[in-house]
Amino acid sequence: MNLVHTIIDRFNLNVLSIDNVPESFSSQVYKLNLTNGETVYAKLPYSRDKLYREYRMLEMLREVIPVPKVLDIWSGDDLISGALLLSEIKGIPCTGAINDELSFQMGVLHAKLHETKMPGYGAQGSDGFQFSNQNNWRLYIKDNFEKYKEPAKEVLERQLFEKCIDHFESAFSVLPQPDGPCVVHMDFRPGNILINNNDVVGIIDFESARGGSSEIDFTKINRYVWEVNPQSKTSYTEGYTTIRPMINLETILPFYTFYDAFSAVVWCKNRGIDKNKAFFMESVSVLQKSVGY
């Protein structure tokens, strides 16, 4: 019996048809059309930690922003790291043109996320909340970069790698004091923002969300929205500042654009470069631009 049918049995569902879900790169997600006319989603996270991270986040945020409702959770077995059964949000990923009204709404929801306080810098795991590096955000970023060096060295050209190491030191040293700890999504991009007509109706994919500093959370929106349509940054910021002040993006975006791309190179190496070739090449290109290579 294949994976999705195991999950269907676990959740005791009567399924009419099964669709794969696009834009899902880390977990396996299935759209299940039930015999009673309802649609639900089964999500199989990459690890048990991610299962509980997403579950806790969705439970915490359901009164804050529009997120899928958790209908059921299965904690898995020796072969499968578990699954979530999620309600449907009637909308589609916001991967087309993004106008001022949509970017304003995105800003509002992102700010509401960042207004949600967390117990510390860290992430929910299968054993509860794990504080990161003595609950110190700067130390967490620095230690991550240290861990990424070795795998990155194996896949980047030597000269580019060396420039990256130098660049980290200089860019890291000028960062302002971090804010938080608040909820950061870690993958706030159009594919995880659902729209219906011209309204943002839901935010999905919280398996990497954690307690962090909001400064890390603007990289994807910058790359996939603001750089495509610079005007959208103004309307997004207008929406964001109706909820909370905007931090100084000019100071933090260059560093996190670089850091995010360096992390992504390592992610691609771990998950298979051939399978993630386009994302790997995109990330290398961002690194080259960041360090002037």
Side-chain angles (χ1 to χ4, degrees):
M1 190 187 293
N2 69 19
L3 206 49
V4 69
H5 287 100
T6 303
I7 301 306
I8 288 167
D9 282 357
R10 286 283 171 184
F11 290 138
N12 198 22
L13 301 171
N14 295 312
V15 174
L16 193 63
S17 62
I18 303 166
D19 299 321
N20 283 323
V21 175
E23 288 285 328
S24 180
F25 301 115
S26 181
S27 302
Q28 290 171 272
V29 185
Y30 299 95
K31 180 180 179 181
L32 307 176
N33 305 302
L34 307 183
T35 52
N36 66 1
E38 280 182 57
T39 297
V40 294
Y41 286 82
K43 179 167 186 176
L44 289 69
Y46 186 71
S47 67
R48 198 155 288 152
D49 278 344
K50 286 181 178 287
L51 174 80
Y52 283 101
R53 194 170 303 159
E54 179 132 29
Y55 171 67
R56 299 274 178 234
M57 277 291 171
L58 292 177
E59 290 291 286
M60 186 174 72
L61 293 171
R62 62 183 179 180
E63 304 296 329
V64 180
I65 59 169
V67 295
K69 186 179 178 197
V70 180
L71 304 172
D72 207 346
I73 179 172
W74 174 51
S75 56
D77 55 25
D78 292 344
L79 298 174
I80 303 170
S81 54
L84 292 171
L85 189 66
L86 304 173
S87 68
E88 179 185 34
I89 293 175
K90 298 262 184 220
I92 57 167
C94 183
T95 48
I98 295 170
N99 59 26
D100 287 354
E101 179 57 34
L102 281 176
S103 53
F104 182 92
Q105 290 178 42
M106 284 178 194
V108 170
L109 290 182
H110 208 182
K112 285 183 176 179
L113 204 61
H114 294 161
E115 273 297 278
T116 309
K117 302 286 180 277
M118 288 292 280
Y121 296 114
Q124 188 73 34
S126 51
D127 299 326
F129 191 85
Q130 308 290 319
F131 291 95
S132 294
N133 311 76
Q134 294 113 57
N135 200 23
N136 181 318
W137 182 251
R138 287 281 172 267
L139 198 54
Y140 166 72
I141 296 295
K142 206 174 176 62
D143 283 0
N144 275 351
F145 191 77
E146 284 301 316
K147 278 190 299 206
Y148 299 152
K149 277 184 185 176
E150 210 45 55
K153 190 178 186 176
E154 293 174 30
V155 292
L156 292 176
E157 289 176 23
R158 188 175 63 85
Q159 216 172 345
L160 175 58
F161 174 77
E162 285 168 2
K163 273 185 172 286
C164 286
I165 302 308
D166 292 342
H167 183 77
F168 177 85
E169 293 306 329
S170 57
F172 183 79
S173 64
V174 297
L175 288 174
Q177 274 297 105
D179 66 358
C182 65
V183 173
V184 288
H185 186 284
M186 301 295 286
D187 198 16
F188 197 83
R189 60 183 173 87
N192 288 327
I193 300 167
L194 302 181
I195 57 166
N196 192 340
N197 294 324
N198 204 39
D199 289 316
V200 177
V201 291
I203 309 294
I204 59 171
D205 194 7
F206 286 86
E207 65 176 42
S208 297
R210 64 193 57 234
S213 169
S214 67
E215 63 188 25
I216 200 170
D217 225 20
F218 298 98
T219 311
K220 300 282 171 66
I221 207 89
N222 179 56
R223 188 184 307 175
Y224 299 121
V225 179
W226 301 341
E227 285 183 358
V228 177
N229 172 16
Q231 167 59 29
S232 64
K233 186 175 179 182
T234 306
S235 42
Y236 170 96
T237 306
E238 284 169 4
Y240 191 93
T241 51
T242 62
I243 305 295
R244 75 196 302 261
M246 176 61 84
I247 59 174
N248 186 338
L249 292 172
E250 276 57 45
T251 318
I252 59 101
L253 267 179
F255 171 78
Y256 278 104
T257 298
F258 161 77
Y259 172 82
D260 181 71
F262 198 80
S263 313
V265 161
V266 176
W267 185 92
C268 290
K269 179 186 182 295
N270 293 340
R271 301 292 180 93
I273 287 177
D274 287 344
K275 265 196 311 189
N276 300 283
K277 191 77 172 169
F279 187 40
F280 177 75
M281 297 309 293
E282 178 191 323
S283 303
V284 169
S285 168
V286 172
L287 284 181
Q288 290 170 334
K289 202 169 154 190
S290 291
V291 303
Y293 180 65

